[in-house]
Amino acid sequence: MTHLANSTRSFEPTRSSSMPSIAESVRARSNANMDRSVGRVCTCALSLALRALVFPAVALTSRKLQRALLAIIVLNISWQIQKYFFLREDVANLGSMGGLQISLTNIALAGLYAAWLIESVIHRGSGEPEKQHLSAVTISAALFVLFCALSILVASDATLGAFEVSSVLERFLLYIYIVHKVGSREDLLFVTRVFLIGLIIQSFLMLAQAGGLLPTVDWYGIKARTDFAGDPRVSGTIGSPNTAAAYLAMSMVFAFSVLLSGVRPVDKFLSGAGLSLALLPLLFTSSRGGWMSFLAGFITVLLVSRSRAPRKLVAIAAVALVLVAISLSGQVQKRLVGDDHGSAASRIPLNKLALAMIEDHPLLGVGSNNFSVAMQPYLAHALTGDDFVYTVHNTYLRVWAETGIGGLIAYVWFLLSILQRAFRVWQLRDYVLAFMSLGCAAAIIGLMVQMNFEPFRGDAAGHMIWLFAGMVTVMYRLSLKSRSFPSASVSAVLRP
């Protein structure tokens, strides 16, 4: 018994000394498990963060997403969904761009350039990119942007100048993207189809507006007004009847040329539908400048294409135009020869005011987007108390007054370079691209006529100029290629 008791006592210290070691082992295992759990959570979180960063980058390289973003840009030319931040209504009411313009176009264009950058990094060193020679269109466009930016140095309100320079830069970037990333006929026809769909949608909206089905709207950047100066004039979501008429006139001339070309039946249907639906809205804008723009562009297409255009289509379009004009002759005559409440006469004093401003600031102008601010000292001498106070209703005089003689030369050179390149495409005799380039040129010719009566800025017509400039540049490049491979290029477009 004594031996057993001694044995039991001999084991007690051993048991008591092993308890701490077991607890420490359990604690160590728990810490290890916790460390592993924390590691897994951190790894999972890092993986999710990397995926969140990489997925948009990978998604932007998708061809479908890039086309969707490009379609948004083209459609927004007619929709004009945009908001102005830091808005100054006092200068906006006088014809200046009153705030920083953020639109669907800005956002989609940023996405396209991000995709372009990602693709450039991914494909770096994989092969030499196709060399793009600087054309007169690109050089003149870049010079115009430069003169707009330089004019801020002399502007009395540099913030206003920055608002417009950002808008001009956006349009220039759109032109650059079209030139470099629209690389095939199918891409070009995709842009054309989306553009025509935008025309059809806007025409429906204007017809609904004319019928009283669309009220005045101002909702999250979507704006539509139904009354201007006491007259019910339609404008859709574009902003004003005159700018809406400019958009419709240019679009209709382009649609007419597409209708005459050798595109697929679906493209002919879209162009014919757009041309037909837009005719009444153009008349309902009651814009004399818009009517002149359309007629100038329409006549240009007829004169240039007289030996190549399908005569039946030309005859049908001409007869339809005459019939609609006759049916609405009363409204047209009233607008042309009736009392316009001094609208036309009010432009003459504004032209004189602009010329006086140009005389004092001939080189760099008064600053981009600064006409409404700089004209204040001239009001007492150039205008009477009853005269209409607004930015000069002449785009050429406005550009000269705001950006100086350099800006005017660059802008006119830009427009003429587009025309020269478009008529060069016509001479290359690609049946599809020739008529499309003619439509772009004729539309711009019509707008150049209307520019004598309107101070166009970053509106629908302004965006169309830069879009057409890019498209014409692409058409020229593709036309040169089609001369080397005529059968392949034509069959790619005309295949059923």
Side-chain angles (χ1 to χ4, degrees):
M1 293 294 292
T2 304
H3 177 72
L4 182 60
N6 291 336
S7 299
T8 304
R9 281 195 296 267
S10 66
F11 279 108
E12 286 177 356
T14 305
R15 187 185 302 147
S16 62
S17 61
S18 66
M19 291 298 292
S21 63
I22 294 173
E24 289 176 1
S25 176
V26 171
R27 191 180 300 111
R29 289 179 181 178
S30 299
N31 292 336
N33 290 335
M34 185 176 295
D35 291 340
R36 283 193 293 269
S37 299
V38 172
R40 291 193 191 100
V41 171
C42 292
T43 303
C44 183
L46 181 60
S47 176
L48 290 174
L50 290 175
R51 289 179 183 180
L53 292 174
V54 172
F55 178 75
V58 174
L60 284 173
T61 61
S62 167
R63 180 66 171 166
K64 291 182 179 180
L65 181 58
Q66 291 176 16
R67 279 203 164 191
L69 292 174
L70 183 57
I72 289 173
I73 292 175
V74 177
L75 287 173
N76 202 48
I77 290 178
S78 65
W79 293 347
Q80 292 291 292
I81 299 176
Q82 58 200 13
K83 291 284 289 184
Y84 288 94
F85 292 86
F86 316 109
L87 181 62
R88 294 167 53 180
E89 293 188 0
D90 55 336
V91 294
N93 293 333
L94 294 176
S96 289
M97 184 174 290
L100 180 63
Q101 188 183 73
I102 303 297
S103 65
L104 289 181
T105 302
N106 304 137
I107 299 169
L109 193 60
L112 288 175
Y113 268 86
W116 191 357
L117 177 62
I118 292 169
E119 288 179 343
S120 300
V121 173
I122 293 175
H123 300 296
R124 178 182 293 179
S126 60
E128 290 190 9
E130 182 181 356
K131 292 183 179 181
Q132 300 282 353
H133 298 287
L134 288 178
S135 64
V137 180
T138 303
I139 295 173
S140 57
L143 284 176
F144 177 64
V145 176
L146 177 62
F147 279 111
C148 287
L150 287 176
S151 69
I152 296 180
L153 299 176
V154 298
S156 58
D157 194 326
T159 303
L160 282 180
F163 291 158
E164 177 149 357
V165 170
S166 65
S167 177
V168 174
L169 181 61
E170 173 215 280
R171 284 171 271 157
F172 177 71
L173 292 176
L174 172 60
Y175 162 76
I176 293 296
Y177 185 86
I178 294 293
V179 169
H180 289 271
K181 300 301 290 183
V182 177
S184 67
R185 288 170 177 262
E186 199 55 48
D187 291 341
L188 197 61
L189 287 172
F190 171 77
V191 173
T192 301
R193 291 184 196 113
V194 174
F195 181 83
L196 293 173
I197 290 171
L199 173 61
I200 292 171
I201 294 173
Q202 188 62 246
S203 299
F204 272 120
L205 290 174
M206 291 185 181
L207 289 172
Q209 204 174 42
L213 302 177
L214 182 65
T216 297
V217 177
D218 188 355
W219 181 74
Y220 286 97
I222 304 174
K223 295 185 178 182
R225 292 177 58 189
T226 56
D227 185 84
F228 290 85
D231 295 324
R233 303 171 61 186
V234 302
S235 61
T237 60
I238 293 179
S240 75
N242 291 334
T243 54
Y247 162 76
L248 290 172
M250 294 182 72
S251 301
M252 291 170 66
V253 170
F254 179 71
F256 179 56
S257 293
V258 174
L259 186 63
L260 299 179
S261 68
V263 293
R264 297 169 181 159
V266 63
D267 299 314
K268 285 184 176 291
F269 171 78
L270 290 175
S271 58
L275 181 62
S276 303
L277 290 171
L279 185 55
L280 284 177
L282 176 62
L283 293 173
F284 292 153
T285 61
S286 297
S287 172
R288 292 165 295 193
W291 297 345
M292 292 176 62
S293 174
F294 172 71
L295 288 177
F298 188 77
I299 292 172
T300 299
V301 173
L302 293 180
L303 291 177
V304 175
S305 67
R306 60 186 183 276
S307 60
R308 298 194 215 173
R311 295 183 180 180
K312 289 184 178 180
L313 282 176
V314 173
I316 291 172
V319 170
L321 178 64
V322 171
L323 291 176
V324 172
I326 292 175
S327 64
L328 297 173
S329 59
Q331 179 180 347
V332 174
Q333 184 178 6
K334 179 182 178 181
R335 182 59 177 160
L336 291 177
V337 300
D339 183 12
D340 64 353
H341 307 289
S343 176
S346 65
R347 287 164 166 77
I348 298 175
L350 292 176
N351 290 344
K352 293 180 179 179
L353 186 152
L355 290 172
M357 196 181 295
I358 290 168
E359 185 177 358
D360 293 340
H361 308 274
L363 296 180
L364 292 178
V366 298
S368 185
N369 200 32
N370 269 249
F371 192 99
S372 61
V373 177
M375 73 178 179
Q376 299 301 324
Y378 297 89
L379 294 179
H381 303 286
L383 303 180
T384 64
D386 297 330
D387 286 330
F388 177 54
V389 179
Y390 200 77
T391 296
V392 59
H393 274 57
N394 185 304
T395 303
Y396 306 107
L397 292 180
R398 180 191 64 77
V399 171
W400 191 357
E402 291 185 341
T403 63
I405 186 63
L408 177 66
I409 292 174
Y411 189 63
V412 174
W413 182 21
F414 173 57
L415 296 174
L416 295 179
S417 297
I418 301 171
L419 300 183
Q420 186 274 336
R421 182 55 57 92
F423 286 119
R424 178 65 180 133
V425 176
W426 175 259
Q427 292 173 351
L428 292 174
R429 292 182 173 273
D430 184 297
Y431 186 45
V432 175
L433 300 181
F435 276 97
M436 291 175 64
S437 69
L438 175 60
C440 292
I444 291 176
I445 288 173
L447 186 68
M448 290 176 70
V449 173
Q450 193 177 356
M451 283 180 179
N452 290 286
F453 317 108
E454 293 297 331
F456 294 112
R457 290 190 186 272
D459 44 37
H463 280 84
M464 286 177 67
I465 293 174
W466 295 80
L467 175 67
F468 283 174
M471 291 175 66
V472 165
T473 303
V474 174
M475 290 176 200
Y476 178 70
R477 186 169 66 242
L478 294 177
S479 295
L480 290 178
K481 289 182 179 180
S482 69
R483 298 188 72 183
S484 302
F485 308 99
S487 58
S489 62
V490 173
S491 62
V493 174
L494 298 183
R495 65 178 183 272

